[in-house]
Amino acid sequence: MIELAIKTALERITGLNAYPLLLPDNEQEGVTFQRISDPEMYAGTLRTGLISARFQVTIYRIDDYTDLLQMDKKIWSEWKKIVHGQLENIPVQFIERSGIRQDKMTLTNRRSQYRLIRDFIIHYAEDTS
């Protein structure tokens, strides 16, 4: 299942806990991921058996904007090398980096929570999802 591979990879690369959809209520730092879309890839009128799944990955860091940016860079540095390879033992054709959004929230304890939201398009065989 591609989601388990993404979770494992994100935890290994960032050193933070990764969660599907949202951070748990008691957590202020970590990584979340969710599938946004997963259209099939076609070659003319033929189905290829591949999908182009867009996953949104969000990194949350407290009081460390620089580290937030470094984590995004580390994820892309590793994932951009995957071409007809594997993401944690799941066969992947390739991975694209897409949109980015950032923001900051001041917490009640006057600390800052920085958030970086990045889209990745992962091309892989649908039967491995």
Side-chain angles (χ1 to χ4, degrees):
M1 182 173 198
I2 194 78
E3 284 84 358
L4 293 176
I6 291 169
K7 176 182 173 31
T8 301
L10 291 172
E11 288 180 339
R12 181 178 49 74
I13 295 166
T14 67
L16 298 173
N17 291 328
Y19 306 94
L21 303 177
L22 300 169
L23 283 179
D25 290 340
N26 61 338
E27 296 290 331
Q28 294 181 336
E29 287 191 312
V31 182
T32 62
F33 60 94
Q34 65 179 313
R35 183 187 302 242
I36 303 299
S37 64
D38 58 359
E40 291 182 89
M41 294 177 68
Y42 295 93
T45 59
L46 299 175
R47 295 178 192 266
T48 65
L50 299 174
I51 61 172
S52 296
R54 182 166 65 103
F55 284 91
Q56 191 171 77
V57 173
T58 305
I59 307 166
Y60 298 85
R61 290 292 287 155
I62 301 296
D63 296 332
D64 199 342
Y65 180 69
T66 302
D67 192 47
L68 180 84
L69 297 176
Q70 288 300 317
M71 286 184 185
D72 177 58
K73 186 177 181 179
K74 284 173 28 177
I75 293 167
W76 179 236
S77 178
E78 185 170 317
W79 285 7
K80 73 180 177 183
K81 296 175 189 172
I82 299 173
V83 178
H84 300 287
Q86 295 192 346
L87 176 65
E88 304 297 327
N89 298 320
I90 297 291
V92 170
Q93 296 298 310
F94 65 100
I95 300 176
E96 297 176 71
R97 183 173 68 174
S98 191
I100 185 172
R101 192 176 72 185
Q102 302 176 44
D103 62 22
K104 173 188 163 192
M105 181 171 66
T106 302
L107 304 174
T108 56
N109 60 4
R110 297 190 181 194
R111 297 183 78 188
S112 296
Q113 182 188 55
Y114 294 97
R115 182 172 70 158
L116 186 144
I117 304 161
R118 170 77 72 183
D119 288 348
F120 292 96
I121 295 72
I122 302 175
H123 304 272
Y124 65 99
E126 186 165 26
D127 60 2
T128 61
S129 65

